[in-house]
Amino acid sequence: GLELSHCVGTNSLGPAGPWRSGGPCKIKRVRTVFKPEQLERLEQEFLKQQYMVGTERVDLAATLHLTETQVKVWFQNRRIKWRKQSMEQKAAKLSQFGVIQPASADSTDSKDHEEDTVDVEL
């Protein structure tokens, strides 16, 4: 669902609505809270395949009582987490052998992944 965030700075013409460009009211997306059973099933599916598309995604969403978009976004976010964990494991192995990676590449990479993370509920 969508909620309106607290409106600040109303003018004499009345409060600005979310439909007005540049108005102080913004639409806030509510974070989806998954049930443990849903997360367990999503993780099981992710272990089988990192990409869920088409009828598989529709069927899984229906089974879990989620929207297709929620399943799609969960998979996107999970892939980002998986890649980050893979990179950390690789870095740990390299450090065991005395190979040190530059710190600048690590901080840049985490910033890029942060921008990719999406949490949407429709």
Side-chain angles (χ1 to χ4, degrees):
L2 298 177
E3 286 182 2
L4 291 180
S5 61
H6 180 70
C7 295
V8 183
T10 58
N11 60 27
S12 60
L13 299 174
W19 55 89
R20 289 190 195 165
S21 62
C25 294
K26 293 185 181 180
I27 294 179
K28 179 182 174 185
R29 301 212 182 265
V30 177
R31 182 181 172 95
T32 302
V33 180
F34 295 98
K35 295 176 184 168
E37 302 81 25
Q38 292 170 325
L39 288 172
E40 186 178 335
R41 178 66 190 277
L42 288 163
E43 288 288 351
Q44 285 174 359
E45 294 299 324
F46 185 80
L47 288 174
K48 292 180 199 172
Q49 57 187 22
Q50 285 75 44
Y51 290 85
M52 173 86 43
V53 294
T55 56
E56 292 174 329
R57 185 167 60 208
V58 171
D59 293 342
L60 181 61
T63 302
L64 298 177
H65 306 292
L66 297 169
T67 66
E68 188 180 349
T69 302
Q70 287 171 317
V71 172
K72 180 183 93 172
V73 170
W74 185 89
F75 268 82
Q76 288 173 340
N77 290 339
R78 186 62 181 85
R79 284 192 298 271
I80 291 167
K81 180 180 176 182
W82 178 65
R83 283 187 207 112
K84 184 178 176 186
Q85 288 171 337
S86 297
M87 286 176 48
E88 287 170 356
Q89 287 174 353
K90 185 177 178 182
K93 284 181 183 178
L94 289 174
S95 68
Q96 278 182 329
F97 297 109
V99 179
I100 301 170
Q101 289 188 327
S104 62
D106 199 339
S107 63
T108 306
D109 206 36
S110 64
K111 182 183 175 204
D112 291 342
H113 288 315
E114 240 176 68
E115 293 171 4
D116 291 344
T117 303
V118 180
D119 195 3
V120 177
E121 179 178 334
L122 297 175

